Amino acid sequence: MRSVARGVSEAGSIALHAAAYLAAESGRLVPASEMARALGVSGAHLFKVLERLVKAGIARSARGPRGGYALHGRPADTSLKDVLEAIEGPIRPGDCLFGRTACPVKRCLMGDTLRRINSVMIGYLEGTSLSSVAAKMGRSAGG
């Protein structure tokens, strides 16, 4: 399990951006090379992330000269939390930058700030669908 306050990995960030890109493409099969250029990320790293999204059932892939990646379901039915958990594993509310359940000092240096940040961030991830982020990108997302 991962706490949001500890940050999102590079793979998690790529997954969120790639899923939003696919949502904006309204079901069109998008070649990984096109997406890597558009997102400014390594094609090899993107490929690994996309395969994990396929394995999680968030994306689908098709091989061949007209192949590529697309979302598996409707963008409105997939939250950012779904995407991030496909890469990072289950996200839990956390209140320690070290990921510990017991603080090594008497009082946490951060107080309850991390708990509040986590709560807000998890709420945002759960309540934000891929269709809404595609709309923020200025593109439509069918579904």
Side-chain angles (χ1 to χ4, degrees):
M1 287 208 243
R2 184 175 185 87
S3 165
V4 181
R6 293 183 64 207
V8 174
S9 68
E10 181 179 9
S13 180
I14 290 171
L16 290 169
H17 287 86
Y21 190 91
L22 293 176
E25 292 299 317
S26 300
R28 176 178 79 88
L29 286 171
V30 179
S33 59
E34 172 191 324
M35 205 178 328
R37 276 191 308 277
L39 298 177
V41 298
S42 155
H45 200 173
L46 176 64
F47 178 76
K48 290 176 186 176
V49 167
L50 288 169
E51 287 305 305
R52 288 168 72 182
L53 292 178
V54 168
K55 185 176 180 180
I58 291 171
R60 62 184 173 84
S61 64
R63 297 184 187 265
R66 296 186 189 267
Y69 293 86
L71 286 182
H72 187 258
R74 293 174 359 116
D77 296 336
T78 304
S79 73
L80 295 182
K81 186 176 182 219
D82 297 331
V83 174
L84 198 55
E85 285 187 330
I87 303 302
E88 306 282 359
I91 296 171
R92 64 169 175 78
D95 52 3
C96 180
L97 288 174
F98 292 115
R100 296 181 179 150
T101 55
C103 192
V105 295
K106 280 189 169 185
R107 290 189 63 134
C108 178
L109 301 174
M110 303 301 287
D112 70 339
T113 302
L114 294 177
R115 184 175 294 133
R116 288 184 303 190
I117 290 168
N118 270 302
S119 177
V120 169
M121 192 63 180
I122 290 170
Y124 174 77
L125 292 170
E126 287 175 338
T128 305
S129 69
L130 289 177
S131 60
S132 66
V133 293
K136 287 179 186 178
M137 292 171 59
R139 306 172 83 173
S140 69

